[in-house]
Amino acid sequence: MNKLTFKLLSNNKEIINEQINYLKQENIIKFKINDDNYEYDEKNIILVKRDSEKELTINFKEKVIIINLLSNNIKIDYPMDKSDANINNNIVILNYTLESDKTVENTIIIEF
């Protein structure tokens, strides 16, 4: 099985840095970190994170995060203030900014 490196930085603090196995089906890269299942759609630049309670869909082209609470079937759209994707061969760098009481700047790096 192939390996990928997944990093999440939030306000320049490293939250996740994992090297894990992945499976690629067409344009979708699937992997698991702890109990969370991830899917990255290379074509549409969408990252989905699922756990037993919720599903987060981060759409970088549309600049929106969709939070789906599975037990209540509630969906919330949370707009991103800034969003960009830098894709270079097998390295994907996804950046987004959320504004609320304080600014949150997240960077996701996927290397496969």
Side-chain angles (χ1 to χ4, degrees):
M1 189 165 269
N2 297 319
K3 293 266 188 197
L4 71 72
T5 301
F6 181 91
K7 294 181 184 179
L8 169 62
L9 305 170
S10 185
N11 292 338
N12 295 316
K13 181 179 177 187
E14 188 173 83
I15 306 299
I16 300 173
N17 184 353
E18 296 284 335
Q19 185 174 30
I20 59 307
N21 294 327
Y22 75 94
L23 175 66
K24 185 172 181 178
Q25 295 175 324
E26 296 181 23
N27 292 325
I28 308 293
I29 297 172
K30 298 179 179 187
F31 54 98
K32 185 174 184 174
I33 299 174
N34 299 321
D35 292 329
D36 300 328
N37 293 306
Y38 291 82
E39 290 183 7
Y40 173 65
D41 183 332
E42 291 181 290
K43 183 178 178 183
N44 297 305
I45 313 175
I46 296 172
L47 180 66
V48 178
K49 176 186 174 188
R50 290 183 190 91
D51 63 28
S52 60
E53 298 172 5
K54 66 188 168 305
E55 177 181 280
L56 297 175
T57 302
I58 307 172
N59 187 324
F60 288 88
K61 287 183 179 178
E62 307 226 352
K63 296 184 179 182
V64 66
I65 298 175
I66 302 165
I67 304 166
N68 185 5
L69 302 175
L70 301 173
S71 61
N72 305 33
N73 200 23
I74 296 172
K75 279 191 178 182
I76 302 165
D77 290 0
Y78 196 94
M80 293 185 259
D81 290 308
K82 295 179 188 169
S83 165
D84 68 78
N86 298 310
I87 301 164
N88 195 357
N89 294 326
N90 293 336
I91 299 175
V92 177
I93 301 173
L94 307 168
N95 296 296
Y96 64 96
T97 303
L98 305 173
E99 295 287 342
S100 57
D101 293 340
K102 68 176 194 169
T103 301
V104 176
E105 295 179 6
N106 287 342
T107 300
I108 296 169
I109 303 167
I110 304 171
E111 187 173 351
F112 53 94

